[in-house]
Amino acid sequence: MTQVTRLVLTALALFISFSAFGEGEAQTRWELMNQIRREKFDLVLPEVMRENGVEMWITVNREGYKDPLTQDFGEGYVGDWGYYIFTYREGDYGKGRVERVALGIGTHLIEENGAYDYTTEGEFDLAAFVAERDPKSIALNYAEHIGGADGLTLTAYRHLQKTLGEKYSERFVSAEKLASDFRSRRVATEIAAFARAGEMSRKIAETAFSNEVITPGVTTLADVAWWMREQQFANNLGTSFGMPSVYITGPDGFVALSDNHVIQRGDFLAIDWGVGYLNFYTDMKRQAYVLKEGETEVPASIQKAFDNGRKVRDIIKANIKAGLTAGDTFDLVNGKINEAGFKVMEKFNQPTDDPSIVDVIIGCHSVGNLGHGIGPSIAWFNPERMKYMIHPSNLFSIELFAYTAIPEWGGKKLRVPLEDDAVVTERGVEWVYPVTNRVLVIR
């Protein structure tokens, strides 16, 4: 049994073990995040610091401002300046353990989470701390291409320059790739937590597209979106993208989006959304058809369009493997899609007019700590991260759009968007919750 196979099985066991909210939920969530943090620091951080040639990584917080990675490292009170600092000390670099300290970041929870060698919320000498370790490189959270790794403010950068002096300022490097690698390589508890978030996302979305929530001719798109938001509040869940995108697609594309448009019979609906649980955010889609009077099932033309999307998804799933860059994978998958008789589009939402062609575009992006994560991305909209290598334990949103001509629409095309979240293992892509395999029916 491979390492990642064991990881996924452990994740499944953990997922089952906390399958419902109950008493002590706040403490349970804290304990889970502590376990994730300890294992990431022990197992992932040494590997990615070594690969990126980084001897020290400093993340800065201030009172009233948190770096995007704060939740990863553990939140605490910062009265003025606070620092999370990770170091391979002289003589230990590359030997497998990273020293981890939190300076100027207080509260009992930081002290008790078990992830840090040393913490203090009192006075400390940052310059002396750095000089004692004398790192050859100091990674800071500034990044040209990844917003989630770009948390260092200009003021904080200047503060570090002044505090550490010219000698160490000349050793500053971007933590962009380091942060991406650290976040996107997963331990078992992360996959378990993300799977739980995915299952909650799925259940809420699929209930939203049912007669429990929708009455044709009465319910608006906004009613559905607000119902979904209420479920997030009721379960103390965050939101990946704010208001859920609940929309209608017709012969001419988008009809309406999360507004006061009343849902009618014959509408083709879609949801695009995600929830936040712990430090994990999902991204998924669901589709539904509102039966017309006298209909008992989804029309054959719409079912065919959906099935085309599923065929493309099967091709994507079969061809994403660890060990290739995201860009090489993008080219490989698109080639396989074309070979299967579909046509890969050059630009999003610009299908051909030829009704014999099923147009396709893929956007399989990183997911996990954000709805659009900061790891390798098999998507045209993340060109820098197309250069990153795909590793076992990376989480991906397997996203595609397939455009199929509908005879009842005069040959105009229905856009079917499919998206569900998965983990890469040594075997390939494996789903972390039940994915969409049917058009939901609203009667």
Side-chain angles (χ1 to χ4, degrees), residues 91-123:
D92 294 333
Y93 184 56
K95 292 187 178 179
R97 192 181 187 282
V98 174
E99 177 195 46
R100 65 292 298 260
V101 303
L103 304 181
I105 302 170
T107 79
H108 175 71
L109 294 183
I110 281 284
E111 296 169 1
E112 293 299 316
N113 71 22
Y116 287 94
D117 301 322
Y118 175 71
T119 66
T120 177
E121 57 181 320
E123 291 189 5

Coordinates of all heavy atoms in Angstrom, one line a residue, residues 91-123:
G91 N 23.7 23.8 10.2 CA 24.1 22.4 10.5 C 22.9 21.5 10.4 O 23.1 20.2 10.3
D92 N 21.7 22.0 10.4 CA 20.5 21.1 10.3 C 19.8 21.2 9.0 O 18.8 20.5 8.7 CB 19.5 21.5 11.4 CG 20.0 21.2 12.8 OD1 20.8 20.3 12.9 OD2 19.6 21.9 13.8
Y93 N 20.2 22.2 8.2 CA 19.5 22.4 6.9 C 19.5 21.2 6.1 O 20.5 20.6 5.8 CB 20.2 23.6 6.1 CG 19.5 24.0 4.9 CD1 18.2 24.4 4.9 CD2 20.2 23.9 3.6 CE1 17.5 24.7 3.7 CE2 19.5 24.3 2.5 CZ 18.2 24.7 2.5 OH 17.6 25.1 1.4
G94 N 18.3 20.8 5.7 CA 18.1 19.6 4.9 C 18.0 18.3 5.6 O 17.8 17.2 5.0
K95 N 18.1 18.3 7.0 CA 18.1 17.1 7.7 C 16.7 16.7 8.2 O 16.6 15.7 9.0 CB 19.1 17.2 8.9 CG 20.5 17.3 8.4 CD 21.5 17.2 9.6 CE 22.9 17.2 9.1 NZ 23.9 17.2 10.3
G96 N 15.7 17.5 7.9 CA 14.3 17.0 8.1 C 13.5 17.7 9.2 O 12.4 17.3 9.3
R97 N 14.1 18.6 9.9 CA 13.2 19.3 10.9 C 13.4 20.8 10.8 O 14.5 21.3 10.7 CB 13.5 18.9 12.3 CG 12.4 19.4 13.3 CD 12.6 19.0 14.7 NE 11.4 19.4 15.5 CZ 11.2 20.6 15.9 NH1 12.0 21.6 15.6 NH2 10.0 20.9 16.6
V98 N 12.3 21.5 10.9 CA 12.3 22.9 10.9 C 11.9 23.5 12.3 O 11.0 23.0 12.9 CB 11.2 23.4 9.9 CG1 11.1 24.9 9.9 CG2 11.5 23.0 8.5
E99 N 12.8 24.4 12.7 CA 12.4 25.1 14.0 C 11.3 26.0 13.6 O 11.3 26.7 12.6 CB 13.7 25.9 14.4 CG 13.4 26.7 15.7 CD 14.4 27.8 15.9 OE1 14.8 28.5 14.9 OE2 14.9 27.9 17.1
R100 N 10.3 26.1 14.6 CA 9.1 26.9 14.4 C 8.9 27.8 15.6 O 8.7 27.2 16.7 CB 7.9 26.1 13.9 CG 7.3 25.1 14.9 CD 8.2 23.9 15.2 NE 8.5 23.0 14.1 CZ 7.9 21.9 13.8 NH1 6.9 21.5 14.6 NH2 8.3 21.1 12.9
V101 N 8.8 29.1 15.5 CA 8.5 30.0 16.6 C 7.5 31.0 16.2 O 7.3 31.3 15.0 CB 9.8 30.7 17.0 CG1 10.9 29.7 17.4 CG2 10.3 31.7 16.0
A102 N 6.8 31.5 17.2 CA 5.8 32.6 17.0 C 6.2 33.7 18.0 O 6.1 33.5 19.2 CB 4.4 32.1 17.3
L103 N 6.7 34.8 17.4 CA 7.2 35.9 18.2 C 6.2 37.0 18.2 O 5.7 37.5 17.1 CB 8.5 36.4 17.7 CG 9.6 35.4 17.6 CD1 10.9 36.0 17.1 CD2 9.9 34.7 18.9
G104 N 5.8 37.5 19.4 CA 4.8 38.6 19.5 C 3.4 38.2 19.2 O 2.5 39.0 18.9
I105 N 3.1 36.9 19.2 CA 1.8 36.4 18.9 C 1.3 35.6 20.1 O 1.9 34.5 20.4 CB 1.8 35.5 17.7 CG1 2.3 36.3 16.5 CG2 0.4 34.9 17.4 CD1 2.5 35.5 15.2
G106 N 0.4 36.1 20.9 CA 0.0 35.5 22.1 C -1.2 34.7 22.2 O -1.8 34.4 21.1
T107 N -1.7 34.5 23.3 CA -2.9 33.7 23.8 C -2.5 32.3 24.1 O -1.6 31.7 23.5 CB -4.1 33.8 22.8 OG1 -3.9 32.8 21.8 CG2 -4.4 35.1 22.3
H108 N -3.3 31.7 25.0 CA -3.2 30.4 25.5 C -3.3 29.4 24.3 O -2.5 28.3 24.3 CB -4.2 30.1 26.5 CG -4.3 28.7 27.0 ND1 -3.3 28.1 27.8 CD2 -5.2 27.7 26.8 CE1 -3.6 26.9 28.1 NE2 -4.7 26.6 27.4
L109 N -4.1 29.6 23.3 CA -4.3 28.7 22.3 C -3.1 28.5 21.4 O -2.8 27.4 20.9 CB -5.5 29.1 21.4 CG -6.9 29.1 22.1 CD1 -8.0 29.5 21.1 CD2 -7.2 27.8 22.7
I110 N -2.3 29.5 21.2 CA -1.1 29.4 20.4 C -0.1 28.6 21.2 O 0.6 27.7 20.7 CB -0.5 30.8 20.1 CG1 -1.2 31.4 18.9 CG2 1.0 30.7 19.8 CD1 -0.8 30.8 17.6
E111 N 0.0 28.9 22.5 CA 1.0 28.1 23.4 C 0.6 26.6 23.5 O 1.5 25.8 23.6 CB 1.0 28.8 24.8 CG 1.5 30.2 24.8 CD 1.2 30.9 26.1 OE1 0.7 30.2 27.0 OE2 1.6 32.1 26.3
E112 N -0.7 26.4 23.5 CA -1.1 25.0 23.7 C -1.4 24.2 22.5 O -1.7 23.0 22.5 CB -2.4 25.0 24.5 CG -2.3 25.5 25.9 CD -1.3 24.7 26.8 OE1 -1.4 23.5 26.7 OE2 -0.4 25.3 27.5
N113 N -1.2 24.8 21.3 CA -1.5 24.0 20.1 C -0.4 22.9 19.7 O -0.7 22.1 18.9 CB -1.8 24.9 18.9 CG -0.6 25.6 18.3 OD1 0.5 25.2 18.4 ND2 -0.9 26.7 17.6
G114 N 0.7 23.0 20.4 CA 1.7 22.0 20.2 C 2.5 22.0 18.9 O 3.4 21.2 18.7
A115 N 2.4 23.1 18.2 CA 3.0 23.2 16.9 C 4.3 23.9 17.0 O 5.2 23.8 16.1 CB 2.1 23.8 15.8
Y116 N 4.5 24.7 18.0 CA 5.7 25.7 18.1 C 6.7 25.2 19.1 O 6.3 24.8 20.2 CB 5.2 27.1 18.3 CG 4.5 27.6 17.0 CD1 3.2 27.6 16.9 CD2 5.3 28.2 16.0 CE1 2.5 28.0 15.7 CE2 4.7 28.7 14.9 CZ 3.3 28.6 14.7 OH 2.7 29.0 13.6
D117 N 7.9 25.5 18.8 CA 9.0 25.2 19.8 C 9.1 26.3 20.8 O 9.5 26.1 22.0 CB 10.4 25.2 19.0 CG 10.4 24.1 18.0 OD1 9.9 23.0 18.3 OD2 11.0 24.3 16.9
Y118 N 8.7 27.5 20.4 CA 8.8 28.7 21.3 C 7.8 29.7 20.9 O 7.6 30.0 19.7 CB 10.2 29.3 21.2 CG 10.4 30.6 22.0 CD1 10.5 30.5 23.4 CD2 10.6 31.8 21.3 CE1 10.7 31.7 24.1 CE2 10.8 32.9 22.1 CZ 10.8 32.9 23.5 OH 11.0 34.0 24.2
T119 N 7.1 30.3 21.8 CA 6.2 31.4 21.6 C 6.4 32.5 22.6 O 6.8 32.2 23.8 CB 4.7 30.9 21.7 OG1 4.4 30.5 23.0 CG2 4.4 29.8 20.7
T120 N 6.1 33.7 22.2 CA 6.1 34.8 23.2 C 5.2 35.9 22.7 O 5.1 36.2 21.5 CB 7.5 35.4 23.4 OG1 7.5 36.5 24.3 CG2 8.1 35.9 22.1
E121 N 4.5 36.6 23.6 CA 3.8 37.8 23.2 C 4.4 39.0 23.9 O 3.9 40.1 23.7 CB 2.3 37.7 23.6 CG 2.0 37.4 25.1 CD 0.5 37.3 25.3 OE1 -0.3 38.1 24.7 OE2 0.1 36.4 26.1
G122 N 5.5 38.8 24.6 CA 6.2 39.9 25.2 C 7.3 40.4 24.3 O 7.3 40.2 23.1
E123 N 8.2 41.1 24.9 CA 9.2 41.8 24.1 C 10.2 40.7 23.6 O 10.5 39.7 24.2 CB 10.0 42.8 24.9 CG 9.1 44.0 25.2 CD 9.9 45.1 25.9 OE1 11.2 45.0 26.0 OE2 9.3 46.1 26.3

